[in-house]
Amino acid sequence: MTPTATPIHDVIGVGFGPSNMALAIALEELSQASGKPLDALFLDKQQHYRWHGDTLAEGSEMQISFLKDLVSLRNPTSPYSFVNYLHQHGRLIDFINLSTFYPCRMEFNDYLRWIAEQFSDRAIYGQEVVRIEPGFNEGTIDHLRLVSRDGQGREHLHQAHSVVVSTGGTPRIPSVFAHLKGDSRVFHHSRYLSGLERLPCSQGKSMRIAVIGSGQSAAEAFIDLHDSFPSVKVDMVLRASALKPADDSPFVNEVFSPATTDLMFNLSAQEQERLLDEYRNTNYSVVDPGLIERIYGVLYRQKVSRQFRHALLCRQEVKTAIATPEGLELTLRDLTTGQERTHRYDAVILATGYERNAHRELLAPLQGYLQDYSVDRDYRVLASPHLKAAVYLQGFCENTHGLSDTLLSVLPVRSEEIGKALYRSLGKTIHAPLEALHAEVATGT
């Protein structure tokens, strides 16, 4: 069925996670400064707002300060700050009494949901954008056609003069497990809670579960299974020789500052790659040191009690994965000795990270007009002169903009940069500097 035509918006955001929520806030501020609000719409495939909702195991905490919310680094007086969220919910004093910079993820998810509710008039849920097509006008592409699909399989058409793609990562499934797609006993960590609900352990039955991975998600799954499911035995399987701590020291953390984005973007491609490799241990295949200590303590107490419930299988590569009625047989190859052994599990959780290539599929109809999805400093995709409509990417620019591109750290500043670029591309002027606007908010004028 052909989608029904719709009005042409100024901008449509694909996805309404933290990145595009921060953009919605920035556009609201810019509209106050310019007196010219943009007609913005946001589309999200979820039926209602949730941030990593299927991974929010009890007790999991943020690894980033609450001050790196969606606004505070740009405008600490914003009504959308985490501090104001606490105040509005009557928990500011209680949070202060926790003496921590790191809220639990459940609370940060609630903070984001609180913001989403305030922009509900600009968001449509339950529609997944499946492709973005060119809209021609006298030989040029002056708008874009976004085709979305709802839960009943019906297609809808939305149109805009500019698009901001912020769909996040796609679960990475190792090729050795690809043929097991659809087997409820094998699932990615992104479906952690719903996956566990379908397993016998949710009814208290004994199970042996393998967690594949060596990063924060794998470690959180391990400790949650230990704490919440006494009947479960866990093997954490990793290629590395040990769980490695995330470097969260002050000087290293400066790599996530907005100023580093300028530094990164102005480097040569070779130097950009070198910088990413140098600081990869801040974000990839690393675990919060406190969580490492907890896991070590669990395994040590097993030695004391001589009751060996869990195991950490290091330097192991999964060679084959075979599904049988009795269980899942994983053949592991020891990377030191080359020896192979087969282990049987009742379920496998893939804490194997995410890929960042969903934008390529969405924008495939525009590929002939794009310069291999490269972006400028303001995150606009470089394009031929025939493509007048602007396309921006959030969360797909790590190679040119730095490790913070997929994280929360630069969202307040990045959203303002993209917002200003949107105003320029649409030919709308911002009369007052945002610094003056922020000062007015602070003083109540």
Side-chain angles (χ1 to χ4, degrees):
M1 184 175 65
T2 303
T4 304
T6 61
I8 301 179
H9 301 275
D10 287 327
V11 57
I12 291 180
V14 182
F16 201 44
S19 293
N20 269 343
M21 288 170 60
L23 177 63
I25 297 171
L27 290 177
E28 182 173 283
E29 290 185 350
L30 287 163
S31 71
Q32 296 173 32
S34 67
K36 300 176 181 178
L38 297 189
D39 175 14
L41 177 69
F42 298 91
L43 304 173
D44 197 276
K45 65 181 180 181
Q46 298 187 104
Q47 293 299 324
H48 53 83
Y49 185 79
R50 284 197 315 172
W51 177 66
H52 294 180
D54 217 1
T55 68
L56 295 176
E58 185 176 349
S60 61
E61 296 181 345
M62 300 288 290
Q63 280 78 55
I64 190 170
S65 168
F66 71 88
L67 292 173
K68 290 186 176 181
D69 56 21
L70 301 190
V71 289
S72 291
L73 290 183
R74 180 185 74 245
N75 179 16
T77 62
S78 170
Y80 300 108
S81 71
F82 184 79
V83 169
N84 190 46
Y85 155 79
L86 291 172
H87 174 68
Q88 294 295 328
H89 288 78
R91 295 200 307 272
L92 182 55
I93 291 295
D94 300 313
F95 184 84
I96 292 172
N97 288 340
L98 288 175
S99 300
T100 182
F101 275 89
Y102 307 103
C104 67
R105 292 191 187 182
M106 178 180 65
E107 183 170 39
F108 204 79
N109 176 67
D110 193 60
Y111 158 67
L112 295 174
R113 183 168 54 237
W114 172 72
I115 290 180
E117 289 171 353
Q118 298 178 68
F119 289 90
S120 59
D121 60 329
R122 279 154 274 186
I124 296 177
Y125 293 94
Q127 288 193 25
E128 180 179 8
V129 177
V130 293
R131 61 185 182 275
I132 301 174
E133 303 172 339
F136 290 95
N137 182 18
E138 298 182 355
T140 63
I141 303 169
D142 71 343
H143 68 283
L144 299 168
R145 296 159 51 86
L146 290 81
V147 179
S148 63
R149 187 175 296 132
D150 62 26
Q152 288 71 47
R154 295 174 301 215
E155 288 194 345
H156 304 262
L157 175 65
H158 304 274
Q159 302 183 97
H161 290 295
S162 49
V163 168
V164 183
V165 179
S166 309
T167 52
T170 304
R172 179 184 291 114
I173 307 298
S175 58
V176 70
F177 292 102
H179 68 288
L180 297 177
K181 182 179 180 181
D183 191 320
S184 62
R185 298 171 297 178
V186 181
F187 52 91
H188 191 269
H189 184 264
S190 59
R191 298 192 294 114
Y192 179 72
L193 294 181
S194 60
L196 285 178
E197 286 178 358
R198 292 191 290 269
L199 296 180
C201 62
S202 62
Q203 279 79 48
K205 296 181 180 179
S206 298
M207 293 189 71
R208 189 180 181 197
I209 296 178
V211 176
I212 312 297
S214 60
Q216 184 72 19
S217 295
E220 289 183 356
F222 177 95
I223 209 68
D224 181 63
L225 291 169
H226 170 76
D227 291 345
S228 305
F229 300 90
S231 61
V232 169
K233 297 181 178 181
V234 184
D235 283 357
M236 189 186 299
V237 182
L238 53 151
R239 292 174 57 90
S241 57
L243 291 178
K244 298 177 182 178
D247 191 340
D248 193 33
S249 56
F251 289 111
V252 168
N253 248 356
E254 290 184 352
V255 75
F256 299 116
S257 69
T260 304
T261 305
D262 283 323
L263 168 67
M264 179 73 175
F265 188 79
N266 290 312
L267 292 174
S268 66
Q270 182 179 0
E271 284 300 304
Q272 287 173 340
E273 184 176 356
R274 186 195 65 78
L275 193 65
L276 288 173
D277 288 341
E278 180 181 354
Y279 289 99
R280 193 162 294 276
N281 66 337
T282 60
N283 189 43
Y284 292 107
S285 298
V286 290
V287 181
D288 177 73
L291 186 52
I292 290 177
E293 292 175 0
R294 282 197 64 194
I295 293 173
Y296 193 89
V298 168
L299 298 178
Y300 179 78
R301 285 189 290 274
Q302 289 185 164
K303 295 178 181 179
V304 175
S305 65
R306 296 180 177 84
Q307 297 178 7
F308 297 96
R309 175 182 165 193
H310 309 305
L312 188 64
L313 306 181
C314 300
R315 295 189 59 78
Q316 300 294 313
E317 178 185 27
V318 181
K319 296 294 292 183
T320 63
I322 300 174
T324 72
E326 293 76 27
L328 300 154
E329 295 181 354
L330 303 188
T331 298
L332 306 182
R333 176 177 176 268
D334 190 301
L335 295 175
T336 301
T337 66
Q339 181 181 1
E340 295 186 358
R341 294 184 60 186
T342 299
H343 303 252
R344 179 176 291 170
Y345 297 99
D346 301 303
V348 176
I349 299 172
L350 303 175
T352 47
Y354 296 83
E355 298 173 330
R356 297 273 172 174
N357 51 23
H359 62 299
R360 292 178 175 267
E361 183 175 349
L362 279 178
L363 297 168
L366 299 171
Q367 185 174 354
Y369 304 95
L370 306 177
Q371 297 181 24
D372 194 30
Y373 304 96
S374 299
V375 297
D376 65 14
R377 173 59 184 82
D378 293 328
Y379 304 90
R380 181 172 178 171
V381 179
L382 301 177
S384 70
H386 295 288
L387 180 54
K388 303 296 184 183
V391 178
Y392 298 85
L393 300 179
Q394 295 200 85
F396 301 101
C397 310
E398 182 181 89
N399 289 343
T400 54
H401 287 66
L403 285 164
S404 57
D405 186 67
T406 63
L407 307 176
L408 296 172
S409 296
V410 298
L411 293 194
V413 174
R414 183 174 72 191
S415 61
E416 182 178 275
E417 291 170 345
I418 293 176
K420 288 180 176 179
L422 281 167
Y423 268 80
R424 290 193 298 270
S425 71
L426 294 166
K428 299 192 178 186
T429 306
I430 302 171
H431 298 295
L434 281 185
E435 292 78 7
L437 173 65
H438 297 163
E440 291 176 6
V441 174
T443 59
T445 58

